[in-house]
């Protein structure tokens, strides 16, 4: 490891705090998770936590930054790497989210739980979380607008409304995936969600997904349900 890499590497204790907090915020919620819960789950002392963070609110800020970096930035970057048409990109967002849900269970639970529990007025760090949600929604709206301009997405419903429906159904699918995973394979549920939602977006009533150019990191369907 180079000197620069060593300087930029996060301390192991900080990583353990963020992983524990992400998991707890997703399972218990932010308000129900205490500093004691986080330190116990991370296997560290209170002093070690306070070395990195002054408060639980600062822990939340770091988790939000992680959500932006590991989820939202990747979501946008990979989608924009897929072919230039809106149809390709809209189809890809469902593939990305299905894959991400399987590979990053704790982050997905955290994103969903915080969005249900928190209010933007609570503090600046909570407001930053809602900025992540807003950026996600605005990106999807932009793809829908592109699809409407290309004539592949229905234009009888406002793009903002269509984006809200996509995100709402996506959250419901995650709940079904988690609560009733014994009833179906994750891959089958993801495919059904994608096709039904895309067909609902289509101007013609049937969304024809073109062959996709693969983004740099590759795209796969989930093969198992979220634990």
């Amino acid at each position: 490891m180079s000197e620069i890499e060593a300087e930029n590497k996060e301390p192991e204790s900080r990583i353990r705090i963020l992983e524990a907090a992400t998991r707890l915020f997703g399972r218990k919620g932010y308000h129900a998770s205490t500093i004691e819960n986080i330190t116990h789950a991370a296997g560290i002392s209170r002093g070690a936590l306070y070395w990195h963070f002054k408060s639980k609110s600062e822990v939340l800020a770091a988790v939000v930054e992680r959500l932006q970096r590991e989820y939202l930035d990747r979501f946008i970057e990979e989608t924009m790497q897929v072919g230039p048409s809106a149809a390709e990109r809209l189809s890809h967002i469902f593939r990305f989210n299905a894959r991400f849900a399987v590979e990053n269970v704790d982050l997905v639970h955290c994103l969903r739980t915080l969005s249900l529990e928190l209010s933007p007025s609570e503090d600046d760090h909570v407001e930053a979380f809602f900025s992540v949600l807003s950026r996600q929604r605005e990106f999807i709206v932009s793809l829908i607008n592109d699809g409407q301009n290309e004539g592949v997405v229905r234009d009888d419903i406002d793009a903002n409304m269509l984006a809200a429906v996509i995100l709402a159904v996506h959250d419901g699918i995650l709940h079904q995936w988690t609560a009733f995973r014994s009833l179906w394979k994750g891959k089958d549920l993801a495919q059904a969600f994608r096709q039904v939602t895309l067909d609902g977006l289509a101007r013609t009533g049937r969304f024809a997904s073109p062959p996709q150019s693969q983004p740099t990191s590759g795209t796969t369907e989930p093969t198992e349900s979220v634990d």
Side-chain angles (χ1 to χ4, degrees):
M1 180 183 295
S2 69
E3 291 184 7
I4 293 177
E5 288 175 329
E7 290 177 0
N8 292 335
K9 185 176 175 60
E10 282 190 291
E12 181 184 353
S13 57
R14 190 177 192 276
I15 293 172
R16 287 162 62 185
I17 292 167
L18 292 182
E19 289 178 346
T22 299
R23 185 166 59 254
L24 285 167
F25 292 168
R27 297 301 194 274
K28 291 170 63 73
Y30 171 71
H31 294 301
S33 299
T34 65
I35 291 293
E36 288 74 16
N37 295 151
I38 296 170
T39 55
H40 178 75
I44 62 170
S45 67
R46 288 176 63 93
L49 184 144
Y50 284 121
W51 175 262
H52 298 290
F53 305 101
K54 295 179 180 179
S55 65
K56 188 175 72 168
S57 181
E58 284 199 1
V59 176
L60 174 64
V63 170
V64 170
E65 193 278 332
R66 184 185 178 201
L67 284 167
Q68 176 166 305
R69 181 183 68 251
E70 297 185 22
Y71 170 66
L72 185 60
D73 289 349
R74 282 180 57 195
F75 175 61
I76 294 175
E77 180 182 0
E78 286 195 21
T79 301
M80 295 306 292
Q81 287 176 358
V82 173
S85 75
E88 289 176 298
R89 290 174 176 175
L90 283 167
S91 182
H92 178 74
I93 66 174
F94 295 93
R95 297 177 186 276
F96 176 91
N97 281 326
R99 170 169 53 87
F100 190 90
V102 170
E103 296 175 352
N104 302 272
V105 177
D106 290 334
L107 273 176
V108 169
H109 278 300
C110 185
L111 181 65
R112 185 186 65 182
T113 301
L114 293 181
S115 68
L116 293 172
E117 177 190 19
L118 300 179
S119 168
S121 62
E122 292 189 47
D123 65 29
D124 290 342
H125 299 320
V126 175
E127 186 176 354
F129 170 72
F130 281 90
S131 294
V132 171
L133 296 184
S134 293
R135 187 176 168 217
Q136 177 195 34
R137 182 188 58 79
E138 289 164 3
F139 178 65
I140 295 174
V141 169
S142 72
L143 296 182
I144 293 172
N145 279 324
D146 290 343
Q148 290 174 333
N149 292 333
E150 292 176 15
V152 297
V153 173
R154 61 192 301 166
D155 58 8
D156 60 324
I157 300 177
D158 180 76
N160 285 281
M161 188 67 70
L162 291 174
V165 170
I166 290 172
L167 291 168
V169 176
H170 177 262
D171 286 349
I173 286 292
L174 287 174
H175 172 72
Q176 291 293 314
W177 207 346
T178 303
F180 303 106
R181 58 185 178 271
S182 63
L183 299 180
W184 43 59
K185 294 180 180 178
K187 178 179 180 180
D188 294 338
L189 183 60
Q191 289 176 336
F193 166 52
R194 181 174 71 248
Q195 193 61 59
V196 168
T197 307
L198 287 173
D199 285 351
L201 289 174
R203 181 189 290 269
T204 62
R206 179 69 179 178
F207 196 95
S209 301
Q212 290 188 309
S213 303
Q214 294 297 325
T216 302
S217 62
T219 302
T220 59
E221 293 286 356
T223 57
E224 59 186 64
S225 57
V226 177
D227 294 327

